[in-house]
Amino acid sequence: MASWNRYLKALAATALGAGLGIYAFILVLDGYDTVWFAPAFDREPVTSNQRFAFPALARKHRFDSAIVGTSTARLLQPKQLDPLFAARFVNLSMNDATAWEEAQIFAVFRRHHPKPRAVILGIDAVWCQAGEDYRRLTPRPFPAWMYDANRWNDLLHLFNLPALEETARQAAYLVGLRKPKYGKDGYTGFLPPDSDYDLARARFHLYGPGGPRPVVAVVPPVTLGEAEARALKFPMHGLLDEMFGGLPAETLKILVVMPYHLNNQPAPGSRDAAVWAECKRRLAAAAARGGNTHLVDFMIDSDITRRDENYWDPLHYTQAVAARLTQAIAAAVGERRDRQGLYRYFGPSP
Amino acid sequence: MLFHTQAFLLAFLPLTVAAYYALAGYPQARRWATVLASLVFYGYWDWRLVPLLVLSVLANWLLSLLPPRLPMRWVVAGGVAANLAVLGFFKYADFLAGSVAAALGLRHDPYGIVLPLGISFFTFQQISYLVDLGRGTAPRYRLADYALWVTLFPHLIAGPIIRHHEIIDQFALPPLRPGLAERLSRGFTLLVLGIAKKVLIADQLAALADPLFAAAQAGRTLGLGEAWTAGVAFSLQIYFDFSGYSDMAMGLAMLLGLMLPVNFDAPYRASSIREFWRRWHVTLSRFLRDYLYIPMGGNRLLPAARAGATVATMLLGGLWHGAGWTFVAWGGLHGAALAANQAWNARGLRMPAWLGWLSTMLVVVTGFVLFRAADFASAASIAASMVGVHGLKAVSGAAAMQAADLALLLAAGAIATVGPPAHVWAFERLRPRAWIAAPVAAAFVYLLLLVGGGRNTEFIYFQF
């Protein structure tokens, strides 16, 4: 009898001791930087899934401006944008993000920055797929609990192996055992440095084993009738109202249609090209309604998009191109006009 | 609510167990509190399902109150028919309509009926009570006892199928009676073992089996090695999944001081198909024997009729597992094997134990291919691959088996065939040593962390 009492006590003591000890470790060191009562250590973004790492960055008051988008916008560097816009940018772009996920991370940013100085939204295919509905999530886990206004419910989602692993990584960063992997402003160079660029490899990614081939226009070109164009639905555009609606007039809002390699853009004259054109027309109209809203369209046949050596793959451009885009965005917003062969501009007249 | 979730293990279970013992001195309140907790457990999934369960319990209990002067035979027949009608509507309406439509060359659009969890289990249990009532072998119970027997959360959703007389008397035992620490210790230890079987073994085996069955369903021809991997991996998966669930159920009940019947007794050690069914899903086998096979005549029948009764019993047993013809065929295969076993024994023939084991496992593994496959076409394709019709190459496509997969299969196979069943280890062999308690508790914490990732898989048997 007494020995079963001892067994039970050993069970309870070990389970409670180990369980509470691990939970305390996770809460105090706070790998995801999301526990509101954790000590204020200078934490790093720890996880490779930006959906877990970026809510913490979106709450930081050291930023006053944000970049939101997919991996194509992840390549824009806040430190290059900051001087051009006299702002402090955080890049909240997430790999393979859906428009809905982009709206969620921006909602967190807005909650903590009611009067942002500037917002850049990278427009990708996820914003221009016509249909009745849009995809909200991807196979990558999305921790909705990190995105709501309730910080208490986060505590229910932190007792698990991934949280323990990320907290151990955070601890290693904090004590200097490991070098941080992800930038504190959200920027991480996830592509190799330009010095390692290999055109042959890039062309394989761009064209496949067949090698380079010219863009072939569809003849005769598909044109959408007015009624047909009007019937197209881009339900994700409603998210734009959620994201930008109610932002102060002085907030600079920039929609940037990201520059896919020309071979990855819809072929001229194709139905897809016509759908994209209608999508851009509607976005431009939304920008015109928005006030202090600019649309810069790099998804055209341009000096950037037609050169293979600007790309690692059909979507992702080199660091040099990223720097060039940064300058071009600032120039477009400043000059408020097209620049032939580089971008088209839609927005308030100069 | 799933047993292997943090919501269950860290919130529901501690609160329920605490309430159970806090009400130790109030037997009626304790029963009702446990019924209420069980309904919360059931409704956590979908509260819309709770009224059906409550109605089912009340209707069957009220039936038992009818005066004995009424013709009980007809009362029982009506009650059983009503229970089967409810089960038939929720579980088999689409299957029957689809089968009729297919036979007539018509198309059937599913009715969209939501299958209430565990309906097969709680329906069968109550049918057994009504039949026993008709036979005069069951007493009339108070509502609290009856409701607690049916709804008791450890067995509500996936069994074991408990007969009323196996547990209702236990409800009257004082929870704080001597041996409390031992019961809590053994129960908790078995719960941990059950979770480990489910999470560490069954779910890993599923990751091995699922893509292979999916590939076969998509029309890809499996290689010989792949087909056997699929069959063996699923056979082990369903064993660790379901016996793990039963272990958890037994462990949880023991935390309340209640002993549930054993449901799995090392079935993969069986050296005959008859022995297999005495070890596999024991409570269902007993139910089928007592309420189907014996009423059909059972062992008193002439050999041919007996074989027919056996096959018919197993066909219905197959249908119980799922509303699909593959399940019926699976039951038929086992029925035929059991009938062959009867004929073999009747002639006094013998077989070496190892050969008996091997032939039994062949039937079991082949049967589970049929059980798991989405349709007859993919089952036939895998079975053909298993006998080498599609060539003898070990694998086809890109799915070469990794060393880790092989190790997992071997380890799972060894545990299933050599080690003592978890309930035997926890309830009989476990000695109260602190050096055992500490790793059990540490494993519990590790499993809690593991299941906290939010991607739990459901138990296979939940659908039955």
Side-chain angles (χ1 to χ4, degrees):
Chain A
M1 185 62 146
S3 49
W4 281 111
N5 281 335
R6 275 200 301 278
Y7 183 94
L8 190 59
K9 281 178 189 162
L11 266 183
T14 311
L16 284 173
L20 292 176
I22 290 169
Y23 196 38
F25 173 75
I26 291 171
L27 294 185
V28 170
L29 291 171
D30 187 16
Y32 296 128
D33 198 4
T34 191
V35 179
W36 58 270
F37 54 78
F41 298 130
D42 187 19
R43 294 182 176 81
E44 305 281 344
V46 287
T47 153
S48 57
N49 182 350
Q50 297 89 34
R51 291 155 181 79
F52 283 80
F54 283 179
L57 291 184
R59 288 193 294 265
K60 299 287 182 202
H61 288 290
R62 64 174 182 265
F63 306 113
D64 62 12
S65 303
I67 308 158
V68 178
T70 69
S71 59
T72 56
R74 270 192 85 196
L75 297 163
L76 301 175
Q77 293 200 41
K79 71 176 184 209
Q80 292 178 350
L81 284 160
D82 288 353
L84 296 170
F85 291 92
R88 288 167 286 130
F89 273 97
V90 58
N91 193 331
L92 301 173
S93 305
M94 307 185 286
N95 289 354
D96 195 27
T98 64
W100 183 85
E101 287 176 323
E102 292 174 23
Q104 305 313 303
I105 190 68
F106 187 65
V108 179
F109 180 80
R110 254 189 90 167
R111 203 178 301 133
H112 294 268
H113 306 83
K115 294 179 180 173
R117 189 170 183 82
V119 181
I120 295 176
L121 174 63
I123 299 293
D124 261 298
V126 290
W127 287 95
C128 282
Q129 281 155 349
E132 293 296 323
D133 203 356
Y134 54 87
R135 196 169 62 127
R136 282 171 170 72
L137 295 171
T138 69
R140 298 167 199 239
F142 180 85
W145 50 272
M146 273 193 189
Y147 289 72
D148 59 21
N150 179 359
R151 302 291 296 277
W152 283 96
N153 66 352
D154 295 11
L155 306 182
L156 297 175
H157 299 273
L158 291 170
F159 190 73
N160 53 55
L161 286 180
L164 179 60
E165 190 184 327
E166 302 298 4
T167 304
R169 192 167 291 136
Q170 185 71 262
Y173 291 150
L174 289 173
V175 299
L177 279 177
R178 287 175 74 138
K179 216 173 134 210
K181 212 169 149 188
Y182 307 102
K184 277 185 171 172
D185 58 5
Y187 175 77
T188 300
F190 64 91
L191 293 170
D194 286 2
S195 54
D196 291 354
Y197 187 78
D198 176 351
L199 183 58
R201 203 173 99 193
R203 283 196 165 134
F204 182 82
H205 290 304
L206 288 169
Y207 301 103
R213 57 180 183 277
V215 171
V216 181
V218 175
V219 179
V222 177
T223 50
L224 299 179
E226 198 179 319
E228 197 181 354
R230 211 179 310 124
L232 287 176
K233 289 181 182 164
F234 300 99
M236 68 289 284
H237 290 188
L239 295 169
L240 275 180
D241 297 334
E242 278 178 34
M243 293 173 77
F244 290 172
L247 278 176
E250 54 270 34
T251 298
L252 183 60
K253 295 140 223 151
I254 311 169
L255 308 182
V256 179
V257 188
M258 302 311 292
Y260 289 3
H261 183 274
L262 195 56
N263 262 67
N264 198 39
Q265 294 182 24
S270 65
R271 183 183 156 77
D272 281 353
V275 171
W276 262 97
E278 175 62 15
C279 175
K280 289 180 190 175
R281 192 191 67 71
R282 300 220 195 147
L283 290 170
R289 288 194 304 271
N292 202 8
T293 307
H294 311 258
L295 187 143
V296 191
D297 180 10
F298 291 99
M299 182 93 81
I300 58 174
D301 181 353
S302 76
D303 190 46
I304 289 178
T305 60
R306 84 175 77 91
R307 285 178 187 274
D308 297 346
E309 53 271 33
N310 284 338
Y311 287 85
W312 287 96
D313 62 38
L315 299 178
H316 302 115
Y317 41 83
T318 61
Q319 288 169 352
V321 169
R324 206 172 148 198
L325 282 176
T326 306
Q327 295 286 342
I329 293 167
V333 172
E335 298 167 5
R336 302 187 179 187
R337 59 183 172 80
D338 294 351
R339 191 173 284 184
Q340 200 61 37
L342 189 57
Y343 57 77
R344 295 181 66 204
Y345 171 82
F346 303 88
S349 304
Chain B
M1 197 179 276
L2 291 166
F3 291 160
H4 61 299
T5 57
Q6 290 186 351
F8 178 84
L9 293 166
L10 295 177
F12 177 88
L13 185 61
L15 288 174
T16 304
V17 172
Y20 190 83
Y21 286 100
L23 295 169
Y26 308 92
Q28 287 307 310
R30 186 176 73 240
R31 287 171 173 82
W32 284 116
T34 314
V35 169
L36 185 66
S38 299
L39 293 178
V40 170
F41 168 83
Y42 190 73
Y44 185 82
W45 203 298
D46 187 343
W47 60 268
R48 292 172 303 169
L49 303 177
V50 174
L52 175 72
L53 175 62
V54 172
L55 276 176
S56 172
V57 168
L58 280 177
N60 281 292
W61 179 74
L62 285 172
L63 214 52
S64 77
L65 293 189
L66 290 176
R69 65 174 180 279
L70 289 175
M72 281 314 284
R73 201 173 150 200
W74 292 106
V75 169
V76 169
V80 170
N83 275 291
L84 290 177
V86 172
L87 180 65
F89 172 76
F90 282 102
K91 189 164 174 176
Y92 298 107
D94 266 322
F95 168 67
L96 289 174
S99 298
V100 170
L104 298 174
L106 301 171
R107 206 172 70 103
H108 167 67
D109 293 322
Y111 301 132
I113 300 168
V114 178
L115 180 64
L117 287 172
I119 187 170
S120 306
F121 289 95
F122 66 71
T123 303
F124 268 35
Q125 285 188 167
Q126 297 190 94
I127 286 176
S128 76
Y129 174 65
L130 289 179
V131 173
D132 288 355
L133 202 64
R135 289 172 180 170
T137 58
R140 287 172 168 75
Y141 294 110
R142 298 170 70 161
L143 179 59
D145 280 332
Y146 184 87
L148 184 55
W149 162 55
V150 179
T151 62
L152 187 67
F153 68 89
H155 78 103
L156 172 59
I157 290 181
I161 298 170
I162 308 173
R163 307 266 281 278
H164 52 96
H165 59 81
E166 289 174 318
I167 195 151
I168 289 185
D169 289 347
Q170 295 185 53
F171 295 156
L173 297 172
L176 298 175
R177 64 191 181 278
L180 176 62
E182 180 177 354
R183 290 193 297 277
L184 291 173
S185 300
R186 291 189 187 279
F188 186 80
T189 302
L190 186 56
L191 172 66
V192 175
L193 288 174
I195 300 172
K197 283 169 75 173
K198 161 70 182 162
V199 176
L200 297 181
I201 304 178
D203 288 354
Q204 310 309 315
L205 288 163
L208 189 55
D210 286 351
L212 292 168
F213 280 97
Q217 193 189 350
R220 188 163 79 76
T221 304
L222 300 187
L224 181 78
E226 282 178 323
W228 277 102
T229 302
V232 172
F234 180 71
S235 301
L236 288 167
Q237 179 202 340
I238 193 170
Y239 168 66
F240 281 99
D241 191 286
F242 194 18
S243 71
Y245 185 91
S246 295
D247 292 334
M248 287 185 234
M250 286 183 83
L252 290 166
M254 187 52 71
L255 289 179
L256 304 179
L258 306 170
M259 183 71 182
L260 299 189
V262 170
N263 216 16
F264 286 85
D265 188 18
Y268 288 161
R269 278 188 222 161
S271 57
S272 73
I273 197 69
R274 188 169 173 223
E275 189 187 352
F276 174 80
W277 279 104
R278 285 179 178 165
R279 292 168 174 265
W280 178 275
H281 204 175
V282 176
T283 57
L284 176 69
S285 304
R286 278 187 332 195
F287 182 93
L288 294 175
R289 182 195 66 197
D290 294 348
Y291 297 100
L292 278 176
Y293 179 68
I294 291 178
M296 285 184 210
N299 292 345
R300 288 168 290 137
L301 295 168
L302 293 171
R306 191 179 161 204
T310 303
V311 172
T313 302
M314 293 308 288
L315 285 171
L316 288 170
L319 191 60
W320 178 85
H321 280 83
W325 288 108
T326 49
F327 292 109
V328 179
W330 172 77
L333 173 73
H334 275 274
L338 283 166
N341 177 271
Q342 287 164 0
W344 179 276
N345 288 335
R347 282 165 181 72
L349 299 170
R350 289 286 170 265
M351 184 187 287
W354 67 269
L355 191 57
W357 177 82
L358 195 63
S359 51
T360 304
M361 290 307 114
L362 276 176
V363 171
V364 169
V365 172
T366 313
F368 276 137
V369 167
L370 193 54
F371 188 98
R372 171 64 177 78
D375 47 48
F376 282 112
S378 53
S381 170
I382 297 172
S385 295
M386 288 169 85
V387 294
V389 169
H390 298 131
L392 296 176
K393 61 184 173 175
V395 293
S396 64
M401 200 177 3
Q402 307 289 317
D405 295 336
L406 186 61
L408 173 67
L409 279 179
L410 290 174
I415 295 170
T417 51
V418 179
H423 63 89
V424 170
W425 189 82
F427 283 3
E428 296 172 23
R429 300 197 188 171
L430 177 64
R431 294 288 166 263
R433 307 279 182 266
W435 61 266
I436 300 175
V440 168
F444 175 67
V445 173
Y446 173 75
L447 291 165
L448 271 179
L449 286 164
L450 196 60
V451 302
R455 296 210 158 187
N456 295 320
T457 53
E458 293 172 18
F459 285 100
I460 294 174
Y461 263 69
F462 271 23
Q463 58 192 292
F464 303 138

